[in-house]
Amino acid sequence: MIAPKTLKLSLKSLRDFAKKKLPDETLIELDERDECPIEIVRHMCDPDKLGIQLLLVPEEYGGMGGGAFDIYLVCEEMAHIDLGLATSVFATFLGSDPITVGATPEQKKLWLGRIAEEGILFAYGATEPEAGSDLGALRTTADRVMQDGRIVGYKINGNKQWISNGGIADAYSVLANTPAGPSWFVVERGVKGFTHDEPEDKHGIRLSNTAALAFNDVFVDADRLIGGVEGQGLTQAQAVFGYTRVMVAAFGLGAGWSALDRAVPYSTKRIQAGGPLSEKQGYTHKLIVPHVIHLEAARAYIEETAERIDAGNEGSLNTEGAIAKYMATEAGNAAAEASIQALGGYGYTHEYMVEKISRDVRITVIYEGTSEIMEMTISRDRWQLHLKTRGQYYHDEARKCETLHKSHPNVGADAAALALHALAEVMEKARIGRLTRHQHILLRLGEWIAYAECAGSLSRRAALMAESKLSEKSSRRFDATALAAMARVFAREAAFKVAEEGFRIVTGAGGVVESEMPSFEATLALPAIHRAQAGLISDMDEIADALYNRKTKEEQKAA
Ligand SMILES: Cc1cc2nc3c(=O)[nH]c(=O)nc-3n(C[C@H](O)[C@H](O)[C@H](O)COP(=O)(O)OP(=O)(O)OC[C@H]3O[C@@H](n4cnc5c(N)ncnc54)[C@H](O)[C@@H]3O)c2cc1C
């Protein structure tokens, strides 16, 4: 873990560098020219210059040994600057992840050492033309090359598609089928038979180089097989999902805030109908406030997950990583889209940046597992917990929120509990009616689970903040009062969503018949969830006041 002061300094150097070298005009020009600024990427990775790589390489290999929490903060900062550049820099970490988790000590020393000392760029080569979400359909092969009865190397044949840094990396982690199954190999730039295509002409992240790779009888020595044992590739890829999904979650957060950080000041200066847009509730409560709340709910979940990964005793937390990624990247996309609307016609032009951010952030719901794959991952995992606990898993989580509500009645934990109880009931109805045979229901459950868990998480963060117990590195964009108001609004939304949509879809799939509907409504506690919406608008007013640094109604009265 990096000391808070050191991390703060690194983040500040990054911000200062961006201010000097990457003003909006430069980013817009590069985006229009569809150009990856390779010298800037190299500068960011050079150990003698910005050396962002160093933050994330373990100390024993010459880095600073940053943990998941450090990585989340650096990724958010990078994405706030530019998501294409963030993708370029972090492709190296993605590319080196199979090495970090699965390589032999010699391989780690060589490759992680080179990343730290020379700032070499890596790429992560998993996706193929026929194998995207389903990596099991992998076609690239790595055939053993034998000499005197022992394996001396492998011949790699196949194609990889949409590889970040594909045209500029110095080394590539490549997933290929060996006789014993999928395995990772390190392939260096320039080896015979290995070529890459021209960069893709993309919708967004145009500052990032994305290219297809081709392997025609590419020979690599046996020591390029990561870990030295065939067939470990998918396990090695799985082992870092919690961590890498937190990285991409932070991308969604950074890009979403980058858009809102433009829309909010704009709305204070744009005068329409006699006053600034920021004073118009119909504007703030549709285009700004809900997105702030969703981003901060996702942040609460990211921070909890990163802390748990860093504590190191709960495995790789893949499902939590999936929830963090799903919520933060969906929130980032919605925030960027709303920011275009918030800037009206200006938002639709290149010059004001929000349309670029909106194009850029779109990738975060596609790469590192699409949103639909996240929904499936979340749902399948939590479904098992529901079955194992005989339907009690989310009732237990709800009871924890009820306990929290007793000590902290202002952080929305009561509504979070309603969301979690309703979730348990929807899952139980789905079990009884065998409704998850409908894939649509399985995936919708994934969404409701993510909302309900995030509601609990935001309530806990608001309570910790009220007690001044948040970790030193935690974000402090808002004070405890504003965070508590956000927790209340989000928990109400989660409860309403889970219960109302759950009722609709379970009923729609024939999970309840007419005569059972009143009792199903009662088990979902629909009347209580409706009553819990009281106070919603004044909480949103309070959040808008905090966002725009205005006096609240109470403060105005007192003054
Ligand atoms: C700019 C960019 C950079 C990238 N960088 C990298 C990189 O560095 N390394 C790398 O290995 N890959 C990279 N990728 C690839 C990326 O990870 C894949 O695009 C992604 O995993 C989705 O795969 P796919 O595009 O084949 O879509 P598909 O898997 O074909 O999915 C298409 C749609 O169908 C949905 N879908 C898929 N399966 C199911 C299912 N079972 N049930 C229901 N719905 C389903 C998906 O959610 C999606 O909406 C990059 C892609 C892009 C565009």
Side-chain angles (χ1 to χ4, degrees):
M1 258 43 84
I2 300 171
K5 258 192 189 155
T6 314
L7 183 68
K8 225 178 188 174
L9 274 178
S10 301
L11 292 172
K12 186 176 174 315
S13 326
L14 191 53
R15 259 192 304 273
D16 290 346
F17 174 78
K19 220 182 224 168
K20 222 159 106 194
K21 297 276 181 193
L22 296 165
D24 284 359
E25 306 79 64
T26 306
L27 294 173
I28 290 165
E29 264 177 44
L30 289 164
D31 176 70
E32 281 175 1
R33 291 207 304 266
D34 198 7
E35 181 183 322
C36 169
I38 177 72
E39 68 297 343
I40 298 251
V41 177
R42 295 241 177 239
H43 184 103
M44 286 179 150
C45 299
D46 187 331
D48 298 324
K49 292 173 181 151
L50 264 182
I52 300 171
Q53 324 261 71
L54 293 175
L55 295 170
L56 311 160
V57 173
E59 279 174 301
E60 63 263 50
Y61 304 111
M64 293 163 75
F69 209 97
D70 303 315
I71 288 171
Y72 131 63
L73 289 170
V74 178
C75 285
E76 182 188 3
E77 193 66 54
M78 283 289 307
H80 198 278
I81 298 165
D82 181 88
L83 198 46
L85 280 173
T87 300
S88 265
V89 171
F90 288 92
T92 291
F93 294 101
L94 215 52
S96 61
D97 273 335
I99 298 171
T100 309
V101 296
T104 62
E106 297 75 36
Q107 288 171 331
K108 284 187 188 176
K109 194 161 179 272
L110 172 64
W111 297 110
L112 299 178
R114 286 191 64 191
I115 291 172
E117 283 157 28
E118 300 169 34
I120 62 166
L121 300 182
F122 252 82
Y124 178 86
T127 306
E128 299 186 358
E130 309 296 328
S133 300
D134 177 16
L135 275 183
L138 199 73
R139 289 196 183 162
T140 299
T141 52
D143 296 319
R144 292 172 186 162
V145 177
M146 309 294 293
Q147 225 174 52
D148 304 327
R150 60 185 189 93
I151 304 170
V152 292
Y154 291 85
K155 264 201 176 143
I156 301 178
N157 281 288
N159 295 285
K160 296 287 170 184
Q161 179 141 308
W162 300 318
I163 305 305
S164 302
N165 286 354
I168 60 171
D170 303 296
Y172 299 74
S173 294
V174 176
L175 190 64
N177 269 321
T178 63
S183 311
W184 288 99
F185 291 88
V186 180
V187 178
E188 278 181 278
R189 184 183 186 79
V191 296
K192 197 165 161 244
F194 172 40
T195 52
H196 63 79
D197 274 359
E198 289 298 304
E200 301 284 352
D201 182 4
K202 306 191 294 293
H203 176 66
I205 58 163
R206 289 162 72 88
L207 275 72
S208 146
N209 174 289
T210 315
L213 314 178
F215 301 86
N216 285 307
D217 278 341
V218 172
F219 177 80
V220 291
D221 286 328
D223 67 1
R224 296 299 157 95
L225 167 65
I226 295 179
V229 180
E230 294 175 5
Q232 303 299 306
L234 295 184
T235 316
Q236 288 162 353
Q238 286 276 342
V240 291
F241 268 154
Y243 184 82
T244 56
R245 285 171 182 164
V246 165
M247 285 165 73
V248 182
F251 282 179
L253 196 60
W257 265 114
S258 182
L260 287 179
D261 282 338
R262 287 175 161 83
V264 170
Y266 174 87
S267 65
T268 61
K269 296 195 188 89
R270 178 72 174 165
I271 311 293
Q272 290 293 286
L277 292 171
S278 56
E279 299 291 333
K280 302 185 191 302
Q281 198 197 41
Y283 175 95
T284 54
H285 289 24
K286 179 183 176 194
L287 300 176
I288 308 285
V289 171
H291 303 290
V292 167
I293 297 168
H294 280 199
L295 285 170
E296 290 308 300
R299 181 195 299 287
Y301 203 88
I302 292 174
E303 292 202 348
E304 273 194 347
T305 304
E307 278 168 0
R308 289 170 65 188
I309 292 175
D310 287 343
N313 45 18
E314 294 183 88
S316 57
L317 295 177
N318 284 351
T319 309
E320 285 72 11
I323 293 176
K325 178 184 188 282
Y326 178 68
M327 293 300 285
T329 59
E330 290 288 337
N333 270 270
E337 179 68 25
S339 297
I340 298 180
Q341 190 72 8
L343 268 73
Y346 296 103
Y348 199 62
T349 64
H350 286 309
E351 192 185 335
Y352 284 75
M353 287 294 280
V354 286
E355 73 78 36
K356 172 183 172 297
I357 297 169
S358 163
R359 281 187 287 111
D360 288 348
V361 71
R362 196 70 181 76
I363 191 60
T364 61
V365 292
I366 297 175
Y367 65 15
E368 269 301 285
T370 66
S371 278
E372 293 70 37
I373 297 300
M374 293 303 99
E375 287 169 350
M376 201 184 311
T377 305
I378 296 163
S379 190
R380 279 187 178 152
D381 178 81
R382 296 306 196 236
W383 185 252
Q384 291 309 315
L385 289 180
H386 178 80
L387 297 184
K388 259 191 221 155
T389 57
R390 297 178 182 275
Q392 287 307 302
Y393 181 74
Y394 282 116
H395 284 310
D396 288 345
E397 290 300 304
R399 283 188 272 274
K400 288 181 201 160
C401 284
E402 284 159 356
T403 306
L404 177 65
H405 181 66
K406 284 186 192 139
S407 57
H408 293 84
N410 288 329
V411 296
D414 49 347
L418 288 171
L420 290 156
H421 278 307
L423 179 61
E425 293 299 333
V426 171
M427 290 175 88
E428 187 55 11
K429 262 288 183 261
R431 184 190 67 79
I432 293 165
R434 303 166 76 88
L435 302 184
T436 53
R437 68 182 186 277
H438 300 287
Q439 198 205 23
H440 181 49
I441 294 190
L442 187 72
L443 268 62
R444 297 291 32 87
L445 274 174
E447 181 184 7
W448 305 329
I449 289 167
Y451 267 76
E453 290 203 19
C454 272
S457 185
L458 186 55
S459 294
R460 287 190 291 276
R461 299 307 278 179
L464 281 176
M465 189 148 196
E467 291 178 1
S468 304
K469 282 189 184 158
L470 273 188
S471 80
E472 203 178 335
K473 289 180 187 168
S474 281
S475 160
R476 284 173 173 73
R477 245 184 196 268
F478 294 96
D479 66 13
T481 313
L483 205 64
M486 288 185 208
R488 294 193 295 273
V489 175
F490 189 77
R492 286 184 188 105
E493 181 185 347
F496 192 81
K497 185 179 187 71
V498 172
E500 294 285 355
E501 291 182 16
F503 185 88
R504 175 169 175 256
I505 300 242
V506 166
T507 306
V512 275
V513 293
E514 182 75 38
S515 60
E516 294 168 337
M517 284 188 191
S519 71
F520 187 40
E521 281 165 358
T523 52
L524 291 176
L526 275 175
I529 288 171
H530 292 159
R531 280 199 301 279
Q533 306 304 318
L536 173 67
I537 300 298
S538 65
D539 278 344
M540 291 180 82
D541 291 343
E542 194 176 325
I543 296 160
D545 290 336
L547 190 65
Y548 287 101
N549 290 315
R550 295 189 295 235
K551 284 193 167 63
T552 61
K553 287 199 185 80
E554 279 71 41
E555 285 167 341
Q556 283 170 18
K557 262 190 229 155

